[in-house]
Amino acid sequence: MTTSKPTVLFVCVHNAGRSQMAAGFLKELSGGSIEALSAGSMPGNRINPVAVEAMAEIGIDIATEQPKKLSTEAVQASDVVITMGCGDECPYFPGKRYEDWELTDPAGKGIETVRQVRDEIRTRIEGLIASLAPAQSAGRPR
């Protein structure tokens, strides 16, 4: 019996801060049992260096990530789509789980603010993993 792991797509405007931190947390905290993707409706040129620093403080390296353009294919391939300030930009497909997380945009903010955003994302990711874990252990089809 093959069990495919759930896929979560995190979407923010620039794919340079919030969505990258969320994907980094999901990869780390799920131990790879949940696929993490991230994208932006208007991707930036590089990852926010303050977001990279805040994640490095807790041992998660997102420095090599690059902002990616949101694609219809990425949404179709995902079981859960989490938007962070760009809900109107995301294509909608029936049968997918959509959530909108209202989080402060870390762009241009100092390390203290970015740490607060990071910690809020971590709390939400822990809840997300808990909500997806029963589906995984039951081997329920996606």
Side-chain angles (χ1 to χ4, degrees):
M1 177 173 122
T2 60
T3 310
S4 58
K5 57 186 173 180
T7 301
V8 178
L9 171 63
F10 297 98
V11 184
C12 67
V13 178
H14 301 295
N15 189 219
R18 295 167 290 187
S19 56
Q20 293 285 357
M21 288 191 287
F25 269 126
L26 186 60
K27 289 173 189 169
E28 182 74 21
L29 298 178
S30 75
S33 65
I34 301 170
E35 185 74 29
L37 305 174
S38 70
S41 53
M42 295 184 305
N45 295 326
R46 64 186 177 112
I47 301 294
N48 179 336
V50 184
V52 171
E53 178 185 349
M55 293 299 282
E57 288 176 350
I58 58 167
I60 299 175
D61 182 8
I62 61 169
T64 59
E65 297 295 330
Q66 289 295 315
K68 295 168 279 308
K69 176 82 173 137
L70 175 63
S71 70
T72 301
E73 295 75 25
V75 177
Q76 285 178 307
S78 300
D79 300 295
V80 181
V81 179
I82 297 176
T83 57
M84 303 168 172
C86 64
D88 295 345
E89 301 286 331
C90 196
Y92 178 81
F93 292 96
K96 301 220 175 278
R97 175 175 155 191
Y98 287 85
E99 293 183 21
D100 185 45
W101 292 358
E102 289 188 30
L103 298 163
T104 301
D105 185 348
K109 304 284 193 306
I111 188 69
E112 288 301 323
T113 300
V114 176
R115 283 181 185 133
Q116 291 171 353
V117 173
R118 174 200 68 200
D119 294 345
E120 185 174 346
I121 290 171
R122 181 186 190 124
T123 299
R124 290 175 184 243
I125 292 295
E126 289 168 346
L128 177 67
I129 291 169
S131 76
L132 292 173
Q136 276 183 276
S137 60
R140 193 175 78 205
R142 304 189 308 153

